[in-house]
């Protein structure tokens, strides 16, 4: 039996408006005591249902023994069920208008049964004492990391490393903290980005077909275990981002689809409610209660799990009504356009609320089109994200590096094109899981040449990525040069670290992270033109490019790349500052597995200058290599343009 529950009218009002950011504290299952009896209170939104019952182990999964009761005209069914204990399984039996009964998981459940089973688990919000207060206070005061180093390590926890020899021997959250956090800290990454951790019964979906939006996956343990992992990351100085999927959900009968017999969470019109490519359903962003479900879910992860931000999956699929559709398969908006106005409004509201409630939380968009203003403020007409993934840079760079060096001279514009738009958005440069699976091969296997050249190319690739304006993201396995492409059903090939070339590649990436973190010129103006200046992008015949990274105080780092296996000696480049330019990185260093060609620690600038530059340096460029030089403190009388200290003064100016 169950007894009715009262829900305060103001909570119902906010939910009806789509503005109840803590609705997960009202809906779902919560420990409760009434009349001296312990149990759980249950509440679920099913406005078109004729009847809703709670089924579970305590009542033998018998229909009709724990009926919920309608709450006013809200569409919510609620009731207190005595005798339910923490950890017991349950589902809702929802009878639709035609009398058909569906067994549904709880959309707001805080824990779910281990896959492939799909029941919800009676749980609660408490049960963990945080130890990251200092981290959380500092994050709120620091604001968005636009001018700070961001080097992200993307992880699929189920395949990073196993606890045993068989598939399914997943590390629990405690061991994940013990092993992953020191590894990431040693490599110098600032952030861990986890692929979707909300419960998903199908392993092969990697979490992108989410079943339980409020339940961390049970593959690795309890919700408290997940909190412990994040807490440990913060204590180690590492931020944690979560991949979040508000664009679609699976059609499984036990899930959100046709929840009360009608298109409740999804759009009724299949032209707006179904993804033809993925076989999934699309949320109805125009419905207040659905929008509230998603907004509260985003805030839930930030509030209850102290996450430092969300990466929003497949934003392009949300923005366009004709995404992956032919003519006749989509319906235009009220203005006759292809923009999904409801989804756009949802994303703007999401970012506005997150940034207001959680200063310093990072919101990143995987958006693959030329939509303007993805990472610009909402009050300036943008979508309000903190960062946008630079998919164009990723595709162009991989295309260039996959070419034999003999042909690269004809494709230099492919490499340099990104600088035409590099500051239109706040960009993250992603080398994510999508680039190393589904037959695309690993990063190392994409590189041309023999084994030595492959490793040299990949070290040069990492160097170019870390020097290019924008924050960095690397998917696990790339850091040590995994040969095979990623599979979610196999752990990374850790035995490769027994080989010098793979250890050398990892050492190079570790040092690149260190340089980006300690040198303001490499990160402080990542999102502004003032942080970058071409030195020479025109030497396509030699496949060499060079540019400066700068900070607002005048520090400069010269980055030079030789994309051929030819050693180039006495290579002249213009520079601004006289004196010593110290070589702070060389991807061809012997300790990385390179040939050891370099500049003996640095070079001296001298006159006469070169072109418009007042000085010049003569460098030795290693084969398939990158070299970075840091200008020592310039003299007080070094020539400069007072209107732009980052630009050389023209003769006669």
């Amino acid at each position: 039996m169950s007894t009715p529950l009262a829900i305060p009218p103001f909570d119902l009002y906010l939910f009806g408006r789509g503005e109840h950011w803590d609705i997960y504290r009202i809906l779902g299952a919560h420990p409760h005591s009434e009349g001296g009896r312990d149990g759980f209170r249950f509440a679920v939104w099913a406005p078109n249902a004729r009847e809703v019952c709670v089924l579970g182990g305590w009542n033998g999964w018998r229909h009709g023994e724990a009926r919920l009761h309608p709450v006013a005209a809200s569409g919510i069914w609620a009731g207190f069920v005595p005798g339910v204990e923490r950890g017991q399984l349950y589902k809702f039996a929802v009878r639709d208008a035609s009398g058909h009964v569906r067994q549904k998981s709880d959309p707001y459940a805080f824990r779910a049964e281990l896959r492939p089973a799909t029941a919800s688990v009676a749980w609660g919000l408490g049960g963990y004492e945080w130890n990251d207060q200092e981290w959380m206070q500092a994050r709120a005061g620091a604001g968005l990391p636009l001018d700070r180093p961001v080097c992200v390590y993307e992880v699929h926890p189920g395949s990073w490393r196993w606890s045993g020899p068989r598939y399914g021997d997943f590390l629990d959250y405690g061991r994940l903290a013990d092993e992953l956090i020191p590894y990431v800290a040693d490599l110098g990454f600032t952030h861990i980005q986890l692929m979707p951790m909300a419960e998903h019964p199908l392993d092969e979906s990697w979490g992108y077909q989410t079943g339980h939006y409020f339940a961390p996956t049970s593959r690795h343990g309890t919700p408290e275990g997940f909190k412990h992992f994040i807490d440990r990351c913060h204590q180690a100085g590492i931020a944690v981002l979560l991949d979040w999927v508000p664009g679609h959900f699976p059609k499984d009968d036990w899930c959100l689809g046709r929840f009360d017999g009608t298109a409740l969470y999804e759009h009724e019109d299949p032209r707006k409610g179904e993804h033809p490519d993925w076989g999934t359903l699309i949320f109805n962003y125009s419905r207040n209660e659905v929008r509230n479900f998603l907004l509260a879910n985003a805030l839930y992860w930030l509030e209850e799990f102290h996450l430092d931000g969300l990466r929003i999956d497949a934003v392009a699929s949300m923005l366009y009504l004709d995404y992956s559709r032919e003519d006749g398969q989509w319906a235009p908006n009220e203005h006759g356009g292809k923009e999904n106005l409801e989804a756009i409004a949802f994303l703007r509201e999401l970012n506005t609320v997150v940034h207001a409630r959680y200063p310093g939380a990072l919101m990143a968009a995987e958006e693959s089109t030329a939509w303007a203003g993805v990472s610009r403020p909402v009050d300036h007409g943008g979508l309000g994200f903190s960062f946008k993934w630079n998919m164009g840079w990723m595709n162009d760079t991989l295309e260039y590096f996959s070419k034999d060096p003999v042909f690269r001279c004809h494709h230099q514009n492919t490499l340099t094109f990104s600088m035409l738009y590099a500051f239109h958005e706040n960009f993250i440069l992603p080398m994510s899981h999508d680039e190393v699976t589904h037959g695309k091969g690993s990063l190392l296997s994409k590189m041309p040449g023999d084994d030595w050249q492959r490793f040299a190319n990949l070290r040069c690739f990492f160097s170019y990525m870390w020097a290019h304006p924008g924050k960095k993201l690397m998917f696990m396995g790339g850091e040590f040069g995994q040969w095979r492409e990623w599979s979610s059903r196999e752990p990374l090939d850790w035995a490769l670290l027994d080989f010098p070339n793979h250890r050398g590649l990892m050492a190079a990436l570790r040092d690149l992270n260190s340089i980006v973190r300690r040198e303001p010129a490499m990160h402080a103006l990542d999102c502004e033109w003032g942080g970058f200046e071409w030195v020479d992008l025109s030497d396509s015949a030699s496949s060499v490019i060079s540019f400066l990274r700068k900070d607002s105080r005048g520090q400069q780092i010269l980055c030079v790349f030789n994309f051929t296996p030819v050693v180039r000696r006495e290579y002249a480049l213009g520079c601004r500052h006289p004196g010593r330019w110290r070589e702070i990185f060389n991807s061809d260093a012997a300790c990385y597995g390179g040939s050891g060609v370099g500049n003996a620690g640095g070079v001296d600038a001298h006159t006469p200058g070169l072109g418009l530059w007042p000085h010049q340096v003569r460098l030795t460029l290693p084969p398939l290599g990158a070299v970075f030089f840091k200008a020592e403190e310039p003299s007080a009388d070094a020539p400069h343009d007072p209107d732009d200290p980052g630009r050389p003064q023209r003769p006669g100016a």
Side-chain angles (χ1 to χ4, degrees):
M1 296 294 293
S2 72
T3 57
L5 276 179
I7 297 176
F10 191 59
D11 289 310
L12 299 179
Y13 168 77
L14 289 177
F15 181 54
R17 286 178 57 88
E19 297 174 357
H20 198 313
W21 311 139
D22 304 318
I23 192 62
Y24 60 85
R25 297 180 180 274
I26 305 296
L27 300 182
H30 300 266
H32 188 69
S33 297
E34 190 172 295
R37 298 178 299 172
D38 293 332
F40 269 70
R41 57 179 173 87
F42 295 89
V44 62
W45 179 58
N48 301 300
R50 283 174 50 185
E51 179 188 64
V52 180
C53 299
V54 185
L55 313 180
W58 68 89
N59 63 16
W61 297 88
R62 288 187 294 274
H63 184 92
E65 292 203 1
R67 288 188 174 89
L68 300 184
H69 308 271
V71 180
S74 64
I76 295 173
W77 299 73
F80 168 65
V81 182
V84 180
E85 297 178 353
R86 188 174 189 260
Q88 289 188 304
L89 305 179
Y90 72 98
K91 282 189 176 182
F92 293 123
V94 182
R95 187 183 300 277
D96 65 23
S98 66
H100 179 69
V101 177
R102 294 174 171 84
Q103 288 194 13
K104 292 289 191 177
S105 63
D106 182 356
Y108 289 85
F110 299 135
R111 191 176 177 188
E113 193 176 8
L114 180 63
R115 60 81 174 114
T118 59
S120 303
V121 179
W123 212 250
L125 284 173
Y128 186 79
E129 184 175 343
W130 289 91
N131 299 286
D132 65 346
Q133 292 81 6
E134 184 177 344
W135 171 275
M136 297 297 286
Q137 291 171 4
R139 189 190 79 187
L144 292 175
L146 298 177
D147 60 352
R148 300 196 301 277
V150 174
C151 302
V152 184
Y153 186 65
E154 186 191 18
V155 179
H156 179 259
S159 60
W160 182 72
R161 186 175 284 166
W162 289 352
S163 63
R166 296 180 301 276
Y167 180 71
D169 291 334
F170 301 124
L171 295 177
D172 64 31
Y173 289 116
R175 282 197 59 184
L176 199 62
D178 291 341
E179 298 183 24
L180 177 59
I181 294 173
Y183 179 80
V184 170
D186 172 68
L187 289 177
F189 285 98
T190 61
H191 293 63
I192 293 172
Q193 179 174 304
L194 300 170
M195 290 170 67
M197 297 296 286
E199 193 59 87
H200 50 283
L202 180 64
D203 290 342
E204 283 75 13
S205 81
W206 310 336
Y208 292 97
Q209 295 205 15
T210 301
H212 286 83
Y213 270 76
F214 286 82
T217 178
S218 294
R219 289 167 177 79
H220 308 285
T222 66
E224 291 73 29
F226 188 36
K227 292 177 182 179
H228 170 77
F229 170 78
I230 297 167
D231 201 353
R232 291 270 302 276
C233 286
H234 289 171
Q235 293 173 52
I238 298 171
V240 185
L241 309 177
L242 180 67
D243 218 333
W244 189 57
V245 191
H248 64 119
F249 60 92
K251 293 182 176 180
D252 302 70
D253 287 341
W254 56 270
C255 194
L256 295 175
R258 309 294 295 187
F259 192 84
D260 62 0
T262 67
L264 191 63
Y265 285 89
E266 69 273 30
H267 204 286
E268 179 70 44
D269 187 342
R271 294 175 300 174
K272 298 180 71 174
E274 295 187 23
H275 262 304
D277 284 351
W278 305 329
T280 53
L281 300 174
I282 302 172
F283 286 103
N284 185 351
Y285 304 105
S286 64
R287 194 159 196 167
N288 290 349
E289 296 88 348
V290 173
R291 195 170 62 254
N292 202 152
F293 169 80
L294 291 170
L295 289 166
N297 183 244
L299 299 175
Y300 165 80
W301 292 108
L302 298 171
E303 174 69 28
E304 304 297 336
F305 291 88
H306 290 199
L307 284 161
D308 300 288
L310 302 173
R311 175 265 193 186
I312 316 303
D313 177 62
V315 170
S317 74
M318 301 171 65
L319 295 176
Y320 298 98
L321 295 167
D322 66 341
Y323 182 87
S324 193
R325 298 177 190 271
E326 303 294 333
D327 290 343
Q329 295 180 336
W330 61 281
N333 62 36
E334 62 191 60
H335 305 296
K338 62 182 180 179
E339 298 80 12
N340 189 332
L341 302 180
E342 293 87 357
I344 294 166
F346 161 73
L347 291 171
R348 286 173 169 162
E349 185 177 17
L350 167 71
N351 289 316
T352 299
V353 174
V354 166
H355 288 139
R357 287 173 66 104
Y358 304 100
L362 186 158
M363 299 292 284
E366 183 204 22
E367 204 286 309
S368 54
T369 73
W371 187 281
V374 172
S375 60
R376 295 297 178 249
V378 170
D379 58 5
H380 285 65
L383 294 181
F385 285 96
S386 317
F387 292 98
K388 172 181 172 174
W389 276 23
N390 194 336
M391 311 296 281
W393 172 90
M394 176 270 297
N395 285 314
D396 287 347
T397 305
L398 286 178
E399 179 185 349
Y400 180 85
F401 271 89
S402 68
K403 297 184 182 299
D404 188 296
V406 73
F407 301 118
R408 288 176 177 171
C409 60
H410 304 295
H411 300 277
Q412 189 137 311
N413 62 315
T414 303
L415 197 69
T416 59
F417 176 71
S418 63
M419 290 311 303
L420 293 178
Y421 62 88
F423 307 106
H424 291 179
E425 302 277 0
N426 303 328
F427 279 123
I428 290 175
L429 310 182
M431 282 296 149
S432 73
H433 61 278
D434 281 330
E435 312 319 316
V436 293
T437 190
H438 292 323
K440 295 180 182 178
S442 69
L443 289 181
L444 187 59
S445 70
K446 296 178 194 291
M447 301 295 119
D450 57 24
D451 282 0
W452 188 93
Q453 290 193 20
R454 285 178 185 267
F455 278 95
N457 268 304
L458 191 51
R459 292 193 303 271
C460 190
F461 171 87
F462 286 168
S463 306
Y464 174 69
M465 176 176 175
W466 259 248
H468 191 286
K471 310 306 181 183
K472 327 301 176 190
L473 181 142
M474 176 62 60
F475 182 60
M476 64 182 199
E479 73 275 14
F480 60 78
Q482 178 143 314
W483 277 108
R484 63 174 176 83
E485 72 174 26
W486 171 63
S487 167
S488 65
R489 302 188 72 85
E490 298 179 65
L492 297 182
D493 294 329
W494 295 103
L496 292 176
L497 288 175
D498 292 335
F499 297 91
N501 280 343
H502 294 274
R503 292 198 305 272
L505 180 64
M506 178 183 281
L509 187 63
R510 181 187 292 112
D511 287 349
L512 286 167
N513 274 334
S514 176
I515 290 170
V516 166
R517 294 182 67 158
R518 75 171 183 260
E519 300 290 352
M522 298 292 279
H523 65 253
L525 298 178
D526 259 332
C527 305
E528 302 177 33
W529 264 113
F532 176 90
E533 184 179 0
W534 283 115
V535 175
D536 189 354
L537 74 163
S538 63
D539 190 6
S540 57
S542 302
S543 295
V544 173
I545 66 170
S546 52
F547 54 76
L548 292 170
R549 293 303 311 275
K550 304 180 291 185
D551 70 4
S552 59
R553 299 172 301 174
Q555 183 192 93
Q556 298 188 7
I557 293 179
L558 172 64
C559 306
V560 190
F561 304 87
N562 176 16
F563 299 114
T564 71
V566 178
V567 177
R568 304 194 183 277
R569 302 186 188 277
E570 292 294 307
Y571 191 89
L573 286 174
C575 65
R576 177 168 307 105
H577 297 307
R580 189 72 172 168
W581 287 75
R582 180 164 51 89
E583 187 177 85
I584 61 172
F585 179 80
N586 183 336
S587 70
D588 191 51
C591 61
Y592 303 147
S595 59
V597 173
N599 294 271
V603 294
D604 292 311
H606 57 85
T607 55
L610 192 65
L612 299 179
W613 300 90
H615 307 279
Q616 65 171 288
V617 290
R618 292 189 174 271
L619 310 175
T620 297
L621 305 185
L624 297 171
V627 281
F628 300 168
F629 299 87
K630 181 179 179 180
E632 301 293 356
E633 286 298 322
S635 61
D637 57 352
H640 68 279
D641 181 345
D643 296 323
D644 182 359
R647 186 173 301 279
Q649 191 175 32
R650 292 180 177 272

